Amino acid sequence: MLDVAQAVEIDSVVKRYGTVTALHGVSMAIAEGEFFTLLGPSGCGKTTLLRCIAGFEQVSGGAIRLHGEDIAPLPPHKRMVNTVFQNYALFPHMTVLDNVTFGLLRRGWGTRDAEARGREVLRLVQLSEFAQRRPGQLSGGQQQRVALARALAPRPKVLLLDEPLSALDLKLRQAVRSELKSIQRETGIAFVFVTHDQEEALTMSDRIAVMSAGHVQQVGPPREIYEAPQTRFVADFIGETNLIDVTVTQVSGAVARLQLPGGAAMDCPAAPGARPGPGHLSVRPERLSLCAAGQGDLAAVMQDHVYLGTDTQLLMRLADGARLVVRQQAGSGTVPDPGAALGLRIEAGAARLLAD
Amino acid sequence: MTDLRHFTGFRPLTVLCLFILYAPLVIVAVYSFNESTSITRWGGFSLKWYVDVFTGPEAPKFRDAAINSFTIAIGAATCATLIATAAAVAMTRAGRFRGKLASLALINLPLMVPEIVTAVASLVFFITIGLTTGLLTIFLAHVVFCIPFAYLPISARMQSVPDVYEQAAMDLYATPWEAFRLILLPLMAPGILSGFLLAFIISLDDFLITNFVKGAGVETLPTAIFGSVKQGIKPNIMAISTLLLGVSVVCVTLSWLIGRAGQKR
Ligand SMILES: Nc1ncnc2c1ncn2[C@@H]1O[C@H](COP(=O)(O)OP(=O)(O)OP(=O)(O)O)[C@@H](O)[C@H]1O
Ligand SMILES: [Mg+2]
């Protein structure tokens, strides 16, 4: 971490609203030029953290550093951070160009330079021909791009985006995703992007911080978050997973030896913090395959199936009554009859022992 | 809900109310164009009483009164609007503070207190602090009772402006003052203009309080008209009243239109 310059360091930040604690000692570091996503369910504190970085809220504890400098004493207008608000908050009485140059003029740019830079940024978001329109005369997607241009124009050290795509319809949202990502790459500005849409997070981010109830659950690249979840919350929140109750007999480093329901023993990668005793194993449905009864790692009984087009979901039940989902790709094998006894094989290395 | 219009007697009652409210105004307006000197007998159409207002024997008196009235109305409405704007900003932007409800009650108090009480109290107050009654005391009293009228449209407008705009401005390096001046103020402008016009017309039309605190020899239009009426009603009074009515209607309509245009944006 030391060789990478940190754009933002969030150090044990606590935020209380009266008796409500919205952030319980949150820590993370966002690197220069990184696309960093805060992902979590509604009410987990994503907006609160962004508002603390932008300066609209005072932290109750901990520190936030921007390029190494503690920004606690700085009011919002002195922080080199810009925000794309959820509903854009474009100034309705100003033209698009005036919106975009607003920040530049406040920072003391000359009118000429500000206008040139404004037009340059509008070109970047492909809105050059709309410079003289009012925000009210633009579509939702266009407004979103004006908000982005306005926030990018002063070349902030960090750009904060609070669910900027949530007001767009699905089709547009997918188009804007790649556009946003390429703009981020082009400008090299660190983005802190808030969403509760896991697909958005997985497709766009360099790294993701998964949050829940004011805590950071896990920080890592999308692949790691998906394939190596550390907690039940992360495993369950990102994608679909099977949580299997197991007994951990031994943990040595990142590998654990455990006993599956039914008695079979196996070695598998373990999340940091996993301890011997009862534990939870996470296995993605597509990492389970069917085999004959008596073989494989688990014994299961077929219950039902759901046809999804590209694949079929097989709903299984273990001997102890726990439910399991197996995902079978279209055209790969037949769907067993309900009530059929089967064996399930866990793909080597695909299961993970969780920390909790 | 039962439609009110189906109640027995609704229609005649409505007509009666409208008649009582507006018939006097219509009569005054119509008779101001009367050729004859009588205020009850129609003698044909003429503009002579309007000419009389501007050139007749009472013209200098009316002119001085009009100058006083408009000066005070513009000054008092301006001050009241400034104060009401500040109050509206505090009420909608300062979050919850101690005494918020009390402040709100205080701002709107002049609407609730009977005007005669305010009039007497103002006079007593000015005498107590040793202020000679005159233009200044009229002005001060007008500022006070104009505040709630200016406050109503301004605060209504402000409540419809979410504070995220000012946050966006400050996020873009605007100081709190710049955020207010460049963002909030323009967005509030329709409310402020509407409030000003309302305060202006309230000040222009006031008689009771003005009559108490004006001091000898100082007249505004309403007190001057009242003075003339005491010597008998002449049609020139109707002409000048009709003119005032016109100014009122124009201001109130403008205030309403501006307020409505602001809401729509
Ligand atoms: N001004 C406030 N006063 C009191 N509690 C607040 C305030 N703002 C936020 N909270 C609380 O803090 C918690 C986190 O809120 P926050 O807005 O950060 O959630 P979020 O993750 O952005 O959710 P969403 O996805 O719904 O936007 C919530 O429980 C919320 O009720
Ligand atoms: Mg939020």
Side-chain angles (χ1 to χ4, degrees), chain B residues 76-85 88 107 143 145-156 191-192 194-200 202:
Chain B
T78 305
C79 286
T81 305
L82 285 176
I83 295 169
T85 304
I107 292 169
V143 170
F145 73 75
C146 281
I147 289 173
F149 292 97
Y151 179 79
L152 288 176
I154 295 175
S155 79
I192 293 176
S194 173
F196 173 85
L197 286 172
L198 214 54
F200 174 82
I202 293 291

Side-chain angles (χ1 to χ4, degrees), chain A residues 101 104 109-118:
Chain A
T101 55
L104 300 169
W109 286 48
T111 323
R112 280 271 210 71
D113 294 345
E115 195 161 306
R117 169 71 179 151

Side-chain angles (χ1 to χ4, degrees), chain A residues 217 229-238 241 243 245 280 354-356:
Chain A
Q217 292 277 336
Q230 291 175 359
T231 62
R232 271 186 286 171
F233 179 85
V234 175
D236 204 36
F237 188 72
I238 313 287
T241 199
L243 292 175
D245 293 324
H280 292 93
L354 303 175
D356 58 346

Side-chain angles (χ1 to χ4, degrees), chain A residues 66 71 73-81 107, chain B residues 170 173-175:
Chain A
L66 200 63
I71 54 174
L74 299 181
H77 65 275
K78 295 205 173 133
R79 299 185 181 194
M80 275 306 284
V81 168
R107 284 199 59 83
Chain B
M170 287 195 264
Y173 316 105
T175 60

Side-chain angles (χ1 to χ4, degrees), chain B residues 110-131:
Chain B
L111 291 178
M112 263 78 85
V113 176
E115 205 182 340
I116 182 72
V117 177
T118 311
V120 173
S122 303
L123 181 61
V124 171
F125 173 73
F126 290 137
I127 291 170
T128 312
I129 63 168
L131 216 54

Side-chain angles (χ1 to χ4, degrees), chain B residues 61-117:
Chain B
K61 183 175 114 183
F62 285 142
R63 199 196 56 225
D64 290 349
I67 291 172
N68 284 345
S69 264
F70 280 91
T71 312
I72 287 169
I74 290 171
T78 305
C79 286
T81 305
L82 285 176
I83 295 169
T85 304
V89 170
M91 282 297 168
T92 52
R93 287 300 188 267
R96 285 154 50 129
F97 56 88
R98 269 183 57 200
K100 184 168 179 171
L101 202 64
S103 312
L104 193 65
L106 213 60
I107 292 169
N108 289 309
L109 202 60
L111 291 178
M112 263 78 85
V113 176
E115 205 182 340
I116 182 72
V117 177

Side-chain angles (χ1 to χ4, degrees), chain A residues 198 202 221-229 238-240 284-286:
Chain A
Q198 47 156 312
L202 291 174
R223 183 173 286 273
E224 192 178 302
I225 296 281
Y226 186 79
E227 292 181 1
I238 313 287
E240 214 184 341
R284 300 284 178 198
E286 67 272 19

Side-chain angles (χ1 to χ4, degrees), chain A residues 17 20-22 40-49 57 86 162-163 194 196:
Chain A
Y17 293 105
V20 182
T21 305
S42 188
C44 71
K46 306 179 295 287
T47 298
T48 303
L49 185 55
E57 305 286 354
Q86 183 160 3
D162 193 353
E163 309 205 24
V194 163
H196 56 239

